[in-house]
Amino acid sequence: MLPFTLAGVVRAGALSADGGVQVTITPCRDGSPARWLIDQRRDWWDLVTRGPSGYERYARLRFIPDPTYDGQREMDTDFTNDGPSGIAQLGITVSALARFTTTVDECYFLIWEGYENLDHLRAATVSIPERPCYLFRGTAEDVSTWKDARDDSGELPIPAFVWPADRAWCIANDVDPHFATIGAGESAISDLLRTARIDTTLDDPTTYPPF
């Protein structure tokens, strides 16, 4: 787990210009920046897997290939897991989207409460049905260096939602599907689909993808 101070959550080894510890991700005490997600009034499953409605275009980031037949298990896919980790792929995605927001230095992250050892950080709880989350604030760049606690790195688990303050785009990344869903403008999605090292595809928000 990341070290915790009254100033917030800090990355070990990150130093400011004066030699002090540089705070990069902080727990939000107020959950209002995530209120817009609750106000979507979508079915909870649609919200956490498909993200908020209203964006011009949608895409999916596939951590593993889509199943090719009903009932196919992840272990049965023809897939060699020798590429970037899930959090690394998310970092590549956010880096591609970063130039399409005016608030690159103010981004928000929801982390599912189901992961252990997060309550002591005293972050605001966002009450999404079946998926209550803690709210954190940081920058788009933070995702590129994020160390997933599920990999025993000692930092925070992979976020369930990522969005900038201007809501120019939003990523929904639930624990169950093999993909994350990205909502954004036409140009951002077009650019994302051309990004190397990740497997992305256009998404139709009216049709549920294979899962």
Side-chain angles (χ1 to χ4, degrees):
M1 181 59 56
L2 286 168
F4 179 69
T5 69
L6 292 179
V9 180
V10 300
R11 292 190 185 280
L15 300 179
S16 63
D18 62 2
V21 177
Q22 176 67 53
V23 175
T24 57
I25 301 174
T26 59
C28 293
R29 306 299 185 221
D30 174 14
S32 60
R35 185 70 213 178
W36 71 289
L37 292 173
I38 304 299
D39 289 345
Q40 288 276 312
R41 302 190 184 282
R42 299 194 72 181
D43 174 80
W44 74 269
W45 177 249
D46 290 339
L47 178 62
V48 301
T49 59
R50 311 309 304 285
S53 57
Y55 284 100
E56 188 176 12
R57 297 295 296 275
Y58 289 83
R60 286 188 299 122
L61 167 65
R62 295 182 289 202
F63 299 110
I64 64 173
D66 288 336
T68 56
Y69 57 86
D70 289 342
Q72 183 180 14
R73 300 175 300 175
E74 290 185 8
M75 66 183 68
D76 295 330
T77 58
D78 184 15
F79 173 67
T80 302
N81 190 18
D82 56 0
S85 65
I87 189 61
Q89 293 180 61
L90 201 65
I92 294 168
T93 301
V94 172
S95 293
L97 294 169
R99 69 187 188 92
F100 296 96
T101 173
T102 60
T103 56
V104 68
D105 290 328
E106 184 182 355
C107 291
Y108 292 95
F109 315 106
L110 286 181
I111 299 178
W112 181 41
E113 276 190 5
Y115 298 119
E116 297 180 351
N117 302 321
L118 292 175
D119 55 345
H120 75 284
L121 296 176
R122 296 182 294 167
T125 298
V126 178
S127 299
I128 298 173
E130 305 297 329
R131 291 291 192 273
C133 292
Y134 293 116
L135 180 63
F136 294 81
R137 175 178 169 172
T139 71
E141 185 178 359
D142 286 329
V143 187
S144 298
T145 56
W146 195 297
K147 304 298 183 183
D148 190 347
R150 300 176 307 169
D151 299 328
D152 298 323
S153 65
E155 294 198 5
L156 291 168
I158 192 169
F161 285 88
V162 181
W163 73 93
D166 64 3
R167 305 177 195 169
W169 42 264
C170 183
I171 302 171
N173 177 40
D174 188 60
V175 293
D176 284 338
H178 62 282
F179 57 83
T181 302
I182 303 100
E186 175 79 37
S187 297
I189 293 297
S190 295
D191 194 70
L192 182 64
L193 294 173
R194 294 191 295 268
T195 301
R197 299 184 64 216
I198 54 175
D199 177 19
T200 54
T201 184
L202 278 175
D203 185 48
D204 179 356
T206 66
T207 303
Y208 208 82
F211 172 45

